[in-house]
Structures are given as C-alpha cells and as structure tokens.
Amino acid sequence: MSEGVAETHSLATGQQVPSSQVRLQFTTRHPDISLPQNTGPILVSTQLRRYALSTLVNTLLQSEKPIPLEFLINGTFLRTSIDEFLTANGISAETTLSVEYVRAIIPPLYLASYEHDDWVSSVDVLSSTSLAASWAGIGASTATGQERILSGSYDGLLRVWNMSSQIIATSPSAVDGGHTASVKSAKFMSPTQLVSSGTDRTVRLWKYTEAADKLSAQIQPYLELYGHKASVDSLAVHLPSNRILSASADHSLGIWSTKKSDSPTAPTNLLPSATSRSSKRRKLAPSTNTPQRGPLALLKQHTAPVSSTIFAPNDSTVAYSTSWDHTLRTWDLPTQSLVDTRTTSHPLLSLTALPDLNLLAAGTSARHITLIDPRASATTISAVTLRGHINAVVSLARDPDSSYGLVSGSHDGTCRIWDVRSTKSEAEGVVGESVYTISRESAKDERKVGGEGVKVFGLVWDREVGIVSAGEDKRVQINRGNGVVGKMDGVGSI
C-alpha cells in the first residue's frame, strides 16, 4: 500500500497532483465492511485496477480474511485501470473520485443438470426460504438437502426432483387427469400444492404428497380451471389470498381462486366434453372426475398475447402484466380494473419486480431488459436498459440476497446476471451491462448460433439452491454462486 498512497492531509499544501495519480474517496453501503469515518481521500496511481484496489481496501480494513471487492465509479463497475476509465468517461484526474465498493460477485458454479425427455419450459423451487414455504408457515421444515425442484415439460408432465437429481414424483398422463398438451408454467403454491398451465388452455391445481421417507411422492389433480381460449403461458400465485394470475395468448389476464367453493362454474363451451369431436381428443379425454371451474375474471384490455404476470411484491391486490402489444399494465384486482398502461418500443416477454428500487424489469423481443418505474409519479417509461443478450429475453428473476441483482434467461442459450448499479449514460439513456454469463452446460464445447438447440425458457433464483434454469436442451440446470448467494460473501481470494 505504501507507494503511490497517501492520506489527504499530506497533500493539503496545494501542490500539483501528478497526472499519474488521482484522489479516491472510498464509500460503501455495508456497515460491516465500512472504513473508519475519519478516512479521507487517498492518493493512488491511475494504473491500479480492481485487484489492487481490493487489496488496498482490505489492508485499510485490516481484514483477517481478504474480502473480494468490486468498485463502482458513477454507478459503473470498474473493469479497466483507473486511467482507462477516466479517459473513456472524460473525467479529469484532478478531481476527487467517489468510489463505492461492494462485495464481489463470484462466477456462479455449475452444479448439476436434470435430464428430461422433452423441452423444459418452466421450473420452480421449494426451499426453506421460498415463498411457497414461507406462506405455509413451515419454511424451517424444508431442511438443507431436502429442497425440491419442480419442472414443467413439453411432454405435458410435471416432475418433482430431489437434490440428488432423482425424480420423486411425476404428474398423471392426459388419460389420468393430466395436461393434454405441453406444460408452459409450473409453480409451488405451498409445500403440498402445485399449480400449472399449458397449451391445452387450462390452469390445473394439484395435491402434492410426499411419503414419510421423502423418497417418493404423489401428484394428484384436484381442480381444473377453464376460461382461456389459447395457450396459458405464465402464472403467478399468492397463497395468502388464494389467488392465481394467468397470462394467455388469447390476449387476456385471468384471475382465479384456488378454492372450488369460491370459483364460478366452468364455461361449458370450453370443457373437454364440448371440444372432443375429433377421435384424438376423445382418446385424450381424462377418465378421472376432477372438479372443473371457471375464472373469477378475464381482463381483456391487452391487444396481443399476454406474456407474463406478477403480483405486486408489497400489495397482493395489485398485479402487473406484460404483452406482445408493447405494454406493461397495472391492474387493481378487487375491482378488476386497469389503472395504468406504460407503452414501450418493443414486445415485452417477461417480468419481475425489484421492490426495494420501486422498479419492474421487463425482458423484450429486442434482446434487452427494460427497467420501468410503474409508479404514477414516474416521469419516464424506461429508467434503465440492460444490454448483452443476442436473442429474446423470456425469463427473469431477482437476486434473493440483493436489492440490485437480477438474472435473465434468453433464447440465446444463456442466463445473465446483472447488477443494476453497473450502468453508464449514453445518448439514448442509461445503459447497463451484465456482470456474468451462464452458458448451457450441454453446449459448452459447441458454438450454438443464436442459441439454437439450447434456448432458455424459464428460471428461478433461490437463496438455498441457486440459479435454476430450464431449456430447449431438455435439461434443468443448477448453478450455485459462491458469492452470488449472499451468505457466501467474504469467502475465497480476492
């Protein structure tokens, strides 16, 4: 630390600062790794890069174990020498730079792949920290190593897996009350309840029961929901209110109850008995007598397929939806009314919330992610644009341990991890770049043009399990991040 580093008071005489040095004022938002309050600006060589700055701050912190650190200047991660950064951004070395440091994200490690017979469209996780477990109030009972992964496949089946890549339950086939076509979305509603939807235009609820030895389980149908007239491509669930939201290619957003007693009668013209004119449909007609119900409401203001929907993270009476009609719409669920429409420049294909930032992230057909402030007071539609994918962005999930973290899944065959603080201002607005890229392990030795054969269709980011993604390669892939998951921070070398 000695050469090229000095406290500010030694420079207070007003002498000219050499052009090869610059004053840095280090700041952080993490109290446990903050420098003493009297630490003033420090003079360093402009040739320093992230590694040297990390070593410097760790020395100042007198850390017993080195903590890997990243550095942000004006909201942008330092990926070059300080000199190259100053030149690229037109910043004078005469100024004192405010530099924020954060714990470094370490590349997410590949753990395993779970192989299927067909494309995997959707994935969800049940763990001690997942919403489904916390809603049920028994999160602690999902012990480490006992997490479950739910997958929905184009073969029409749901599968529940343990962490040893073993299938412990498979949903019934079409003739036994299962989906009659591809599954497009699947979620844990609770540790004993699953919800799924698909190209057979239905939403289905399932009872999930595990054997005492945890080595096997059953998935049994208990409610079929009819109302949509085209594929149901995305679901959102909220157990406390017993509500399900569905996004459909028929341009509508569905609102459903998980309770038979609260649900209207199913539309008779949409039931299998009314549509089984062809011999194929008769053959697939289920032999079970699962109760059939209709929607509480179908909201039809979108003018193109609805791609994704979520409950507002802090208010389950509010929903958001995205559509191929370029819009993000806000809905008041009790009154079943549209309260706001934000129109963007491209079809929107996926959606998640960054609640601490009051932002929504929407994946587009134009290969980028748009961060949108849905509040009525917002003056611009797009707050930030995240760029890096080379094909449509069809799935999004937020980092469970960071207000600023996000992962995206794309038809280009990759998942990308983003820190929304890593941005820079360009002529067209504020733009961000990804921190890490996760490729499909099934194609690591091959070059896939545009993601051909390895498209990512769905993903989830769970605090315990990690980043779980599903794709065209017929696999569920798990990547666990040493450092991506917050509790791993501070482990390893700089």
Side-chain angles (χ1 to χ4, degrees):
M1 182 182 102
S2 57
E3 190 170 344
V5 178
E7 296 292 339
T8 297
H9 61 73
S10 68
L11 301 167
T13 55
Q15 71 267 36
Q16 186 71 22
V17 176
S19 60
S20 60
Q21 294 181 308
V22 65
R23 291 185 185 92
L24 303 183
Q25 179 68 60
F26 290 108
T27 66
T28 187
R29 305 184 197 200
H30 302 284
D32 58 320
I33 57 170
S34 62
L35 293 167
Q37 286 188 345
N38 61 354
T39 305
I42 295 171
L43 188 64
V44 304
S45 166
T46 58
Q47 299 307 307
L48 297 190
R49 294 173 177 264
R50 184 200 71 83
Y51 180 89
L53 290 177
S54 190
T55 302
L56 167 59
V57 173
N58 272 276
T59 302
L60 293 170
L61 289 170
Q62 299 180 331
S63 308
E64 290 184 18
K65 292 182 179 179
I67 303 167
L69 299 172
E70 297 268 16
F71 298 86
L72 297 108
I73 304 174
N74 295 337
T76 301
F77 278 102
L78 183 66
R79 295 288 183 240
T80 62
S81 69
I82 298 173
D83 184 63
E84 290 172 283
F85 181 91
L86 296 177
T87 302
N89 291 274
I91 300 172
S92 168
E94 300 289 327
T95 61
T96 298
L97 284 180
S98 178
V99 179
E100 180 184 359
Y101 60 93
V102 297
R103 286 185 172 89
I105 296 175
I106 299 171
L109 303 173
Y110 169 73
L111 278 187
S113 292
Y114 297 0
E115 296 194 21
H116 293 63
D117 298 327
D118 207 337
W119 296 355
V120 189
S121 59
S122 182
V123 69
D124 199 14
V125 170
L126 178 68
S127 73
S128 62
T129 57
S130 65
L131 276 177
S134 62
W135 285 333
I138 55 173
S141 68
T142 307
T144 301
Q146 293 295 316
E147 296 89 358
R148 298 291 181 253
I149 293 175
L150 170 66
S151 63
S153 173
Y154 273 68
D155 62 10
L157 299 177
L158 306 177
R159 293 172 177 85
V160 177
W161 306 73
N162 63 20
M163 295 309 294
S164 300
S165 72
Q166 297 167 320
I167 299 171
I168 62 172
T170 303
S171 64
S173 63
V175 294
D176 293 318
H179 281 285
T180 59
S182 300
V183 174
K184 295 300 293 292
S185 185
K187 291 189 178 295
F188 281 104
M189 187 100 182
S190 77
T192 58
Q193 194 172 0
L194 314 177
V195 184
S196 62
S197 66
T199 57
D200 61 5
R201 303 175 295 192
T202 67
V203 177
R204 295 173 186 258
L205 280 74
W206 311 82
K207 189 176 182 180
Y208 176 69
T209 311
E210 288 199 7
D213 61 8
K214 304 284 187 183
L215 298 177
S216 63
Q218 281 190 316
I219 300 174
Q220 299 168 299
Y222 82 87
L223 190 59
E224 296 175 0
L225 299 174
Y226 292 86
H228 285 300
K229 297 180 180 179
S231 177
V232 186
D233 296 328
S234 176
L235 294 172
V237 298
H238 187 254
L239 182 66
S241 62
N242 297 302
R243 290 293 180 266
I244 301 168
L245 301 176
S246 58
S248 174
D250 67 5
H251 304 187
S252 71
L253 176 72
I255 308 173
W256 314 80
S257 172
T258 63
K259 294 186 173 182
K260 294 192 289 267
S261 57
D262 293 344
S263 301
T265 304
T268 54
N269 63 313
L270 297 178
L271 296 177
S273 56
T275 57
S276 59
R277 293 170 187 160
S278 72
S279 59
K280 181 180 179 182
R281 282 196 179 274
R282 279 196 297 271
K283 189 184 292 184
L284 290 177
S287 59
T288 58
N289 294 314
T290 307
Q292 299 165 333
R293 294 291 186 271
L296 298 174
L298 290 176
L299 309 180
K300 300 181 177 180
Q301 282 90 335
H302 279 294
T303 58
V306 185
S307 56
S308 189
T309 182
I310 60 172
F311 287 93
N314 300 317
D315 185 354
S316 62
T317 67
V318 174
Y320 302 109
S321 61
T322 51
S323 168
W324 286 79
D325 66 10
H326 300 198
T327 67
L328 166 74
R329 297 182 190 250
T330 304
W331 309 87
D332 180 70
L333 297 179
T335 61
Q336 302 170 6
S337 58
L338 174 66
V339 296
D340 187 68
T341 300
R342 300 294 166 100
T343 303
T344 67
S345 303
H346 306 281
L348 303 179
L349 311 182
S350 51
L351 181 64
T352 197
L354 300 173
D356 294 343
L357 306 180
N358 294 308
L359 292 174
L360 299 176
T364 75
S365 64
R367 308 182 299 279
H368 61 258
I369 300 160
T370 298
L371 301 186
I372 300 169
D373 186 342
R375 294 174 296 178
S377 58
T379 55
T380 58
I381 292 175
S382 175
V384 180
T385 302
L386 305 179
R387 291 181 179 163
H389 282 296
I390 58 172
N391 207 332
V393 182
V394 297
S395 189
L396 293 166
R398 72 181 185 93
D399 183 342
D401 282 307
S402 169
S403 300
Y404 306 95
L406 184 69
V407 65
S408 56
S410 168
H411 281 179
D412 66 11
T414 70
C415 298
R416 286 178 180 255
I417 297 171
W418 313 80
D419 185 319
V420 299
R421 294 168 295 185
S422 180
T423 60
K424 57 186 177 182
S425 296
E426 295 187 355
E428 60 270 39
V430 182
V431 175
E433 296 178 349
S434 61
V435 180
Y436 287 111
T437 300
I438 302 172
S439 298
R440 300 305 283 175
E441 199 69 17
S442 60
K444 64 179 182 179
D445 298 323
E446 306 174 52
R447 181 174 176 79
K448 299 287 187 178
V449 178
E452 190 62 36
V454 292
K455 294 181 180 70
V456 175
F457 294 140
L459 56 75
V460 63
W461 194 340
D462 180 80
R463 180 177 285 125
E464 303 301 321
V465 177
I467 297 170
V468 187
S469 55
E472 190 183 17
D473 58 1
K474 306 179 184 179
R475 288 170 170 83
V476 165
Q477 178 171 314
I478 305 176
N479 289 80
R480 188 157 197 160
N482 286 341
V484 176
V485 180
K487 65 184 181 183
M488 304 299 288
D489 279 353
V491 177
S493 60
I494 300 175

